[in-house]
Amino acid sequence: MPVNTTSPDTKTVTCVICLEEFEWDGREAYRREANGPTARITLPPRDSAKWAAEVQGAVLRCPNEINRVPHYFPVDFVLYDRPVVIGFVGTTMAGKTCLLAAMSGEIDRQRLGPRGLGTMPVNLTEHHKYRTEVVDPFFDEGIAPPHTPRSELVTYADAVLMTTNTGRTFPLVFFDAAGEQLRGLQQDSMALRFLHRVDGLLFVVDPDLIGDGSGRAGTGILDDPTFSATIAGLRFRPMQGGRLRVPAAIAITKSDTLRFTSPVDRWLSRPTPAGVDRDAIRQESQDAYAFLHQRRATAWLAPVDRFQWCTLHFVSASGASYLTADGTTKAGRFVRPARPRRVLEPLMALLAMIEEHNEHARGD
Ligand SMILES: Nc1nc2c(ncn2[C@@H]2O[C@H](COP(=O)(O)OP(=O)(O)O)[C@@H](O)[C@H]2O)c(=O)[nH]1
Ligand SMILES: [Mg+2]
Ligand SMILES: [Zn+2]
């Protein structure tokens, strides 16, 4: 871009939908009309008295069209610190979609408030659609989020604008990195942008796939190839002593199925701490490590060896068991409305590690 057309408000911003970085002049924006079409507008200068009113509801158009369809996201997401990007990694049916819906619902219900984190309302159409179509039915009626077979390796899942009690505001963006088709990882531009940009990884472990420690393997499946593919894909990221400097957490999900198993029972019934309880995180990590190790689930423990910082957690997205279709019950629902257990613990641990160790997440 020629220098003389660059406005003093120009800055590099990140699209929260596809993670493309682009230059934004601080002025060009769009406004969604009632029925779809989006009108181009010019925002007044930032120091203008009209700015605050004009910026309400304004969206940016990302220059990176997906399948030739443009996408837009609220200006709010580029007005504060750069986004913190969290990726959910795990095989199909591991429980990623349910865990994400549980976390997103807990965040919307302000359950991070007592822990010093809040959200600012943003009119992100995608978030509202996700909330009304997926999160609310899960919380209100126990309807399982739809299982959607996908062709993409990495997909946008949800974004919120977080505020901390120290006055920081940043977009928190969730991506689903199922990697159901690992083939072509290096050619997929979305997957590459994600691997370059991701600030924290959440590895989702399905205890159903793991044996009970008596030598009987749960399903005979001894690995989650999405873990190894993601770790391999991150090899160009900064390392320290051979370990990746990207914070990671392992969430053993569906822990409601282990609620009578020690030590899972103790963790599931434990009250939520205020803020981040580092001693509790260390103890739970040790317990969860021992739990997986005893069951010879060593492949699922790979992140502990490969990442400089990795915590482990027992969580349940639904807090209740899943009903299998048997003629009387409809497929795709849990016995009760969702009552997630400890789903915010891995997120709190990741955010604390990111804050502490990731230079980028501290803002510009
Ligand atoms: N009991 C129990 N089952 C769960 C839980 N989360 C997921 N499931 C089961 O696992 C299935 C797959 O979950 P899903 O989130 O779609 O997995 P994904 O393919 O990794 O996104 C669901 O349909 C449920 O049957 C949970 O917290 N508790
Ligand atoms: Mg899914
Ligand atoms: Zn984009």
Side-chain angles (χ1 to χ4, degrees):
M1 192 187 287
V3 176
N4 58 5
T5 64
T6 308
S7 105
D9 294 330
T10 297
K11 63 173 186 169
T12 305
V13 299
T14 306
C15 169
V16 297
I17 309 282
C18 77
L19 301 180
E20 177 90 341
E21 284 194 348
F22 63 96
E23 298 289 305
W24 180 54
D25 65 4
R27 307 295 292 277
E28 182 182 327
Y30 293 78
R31 201 168 289 291
R32 286 202 175 99
E33 315 276 79
N35 287 328
T38 308
R40 189 171 159 175
I41 57 168
T42 301
L43 293 173
R46 186 91 193 233
D47 52 14
S48 147
K50 291 199 196 115
W51 186 82
E54 289 287 312
V55 81
Q56 292 281 335
V59 293
L60 295 188
R61 177 176 171 153
C62 174
N64 177 37
E65 300 189 348
I66 300 172
N67 301 326
R68 301 208 187 138
V69 181
H71 55 275
Y72 301 84
F73 63 97
V75 172
D76 311 55
F77 283 120
V78 304
L79 300 179
Y80 306 95
D81 288 357
R82 81 200 276 280
V84 171
V85 179
I86 306 285
F88 284 58
V89 181
T91 190
T92 180
M93 296 302 273
K96 295 178 300 300
T97 302
C98 287
L99 184 53
L100 214 124
M103 273 189 192
S104 180
E106 294 269 279
I107 292 171
D108 267 349
R109 284 158 181 74
Q110 301 298 330
R111 304 264 154 79
L112 284 173
R115 316 183 73 169
L117 287 168
T119 55
M120 298 221 305
V122 172
N123 77 344
L124 181 60
T125 318
E126 284 78 5
H127 177 67
H128 285 283
K129 193 162 149 20
Y130 179 64
R131 186 158 79 186
T132 52
E133 291 177 9
V134 177
V135 179
D136 289 347
F138 182 52
F139 274 73
D140 299 341
E141 297 165 66
I143 295 173
H147 188 72
T148 44
R150 280 196 327 259
S151 50
E152 277 90 23
L153 292 159
V154 174
T155 47
Y156 164 85
D158 195 18
V160 292
L161 198 54
M162 305 283 326
T163 54
T164 69
N165 57 10
T166 55
R168 248 177 26 86
T169 301
F170 61 93
L172 179 64
V173 191
F174 294 121
F175 276 83
D176 189 329
E180 273 148 356
Q181 297 175 327
L182 301 172
R183 188 167 40 88
L185 183 68
Q186 297 312 319
Q187 282 79 51
D188 184 290
S189 57
M190 180 67 232
L192 279 179
R193 275 197 304 274
F194 168 79
L195 291 167
H196 274 279
R197 185 60 186 74
V198 69
D199 297 298
L201 286 153
L202 186 58
F203 290 92
V204 180
V205 176
D206 178 356
D208 288 352
L209 296 179
I210 294 166
D212 61 7
S214 63
R216 183 181 66 83
T219 52
I221 297 168
L222 297 171
D223 191 10
D224 182 336
T226 66
F227 282 29
S228 36
T230 304
I231 294 169
L234 290 164
R235 63 190 171 276
F236 53 82
R237 296 283 299 257
M239 301 254 191
Q240 186 174 333
R243 292 171 190 240
L244 286 157
R245 289 179 52 89
V246 180
I250 297 174
I252 303 173
T253 194
K254 311 187 189 181
S255 284
D256 53 282
T257 62
L258 304 162
R259 67 190 174 282
F260 302 119
T261 309
S262 176
V264 187
D265 52 350
R266 266 195 296 122
W267 288 109
L268 281 192
S269 56
R270 211 172 150 116
T272 314
V276 176
D277 182 341
R278 283 167 199 277
D279 285 339
I281 292 176
R282 202 171 305 118
Q283 279 168 30
E284 186 178 12
S285 294
Q286 282 170 5
D287 281 357
Y289 185 93
F291 176 90
L292 291 175
H293 191 74
Q294 265 162 20
R295 286 162 179 76
R296 299 190 179 90
T298 38
W300 283 273
L301 285 170
V304 177
D305 292 329
R306 308 298 303 280
F307 289 82
Q308 181 78 15
W309 307 286
C310 182
T311 58
L312 294 89
H313 311 262
F314 294 107
V315 307
S316 167
S318 58
S321 33
Y322 186 76
L323 290 174
T324 34
D326 61 0
T328 54
T329 51
K330 257 198 285 170
R333 54 167 60 238
F334 291 90
V335 294
R336 277 199 308 268
R339 283 215 312 263
R341 308 306 300 254
R342 297 184 72 78
V343 294
L344 294 177
E345 302 314 304
L347 181 62
M348 289 299 293
L350 278 174
L351 290 176
M353 289 187 277
I354 291 167
E355 180 91 14
E356 206 164 315
H357 304 297
N358 184 338
E359 313 74 57
H360 300 301
R362 287 193 205 123
D364 302 325

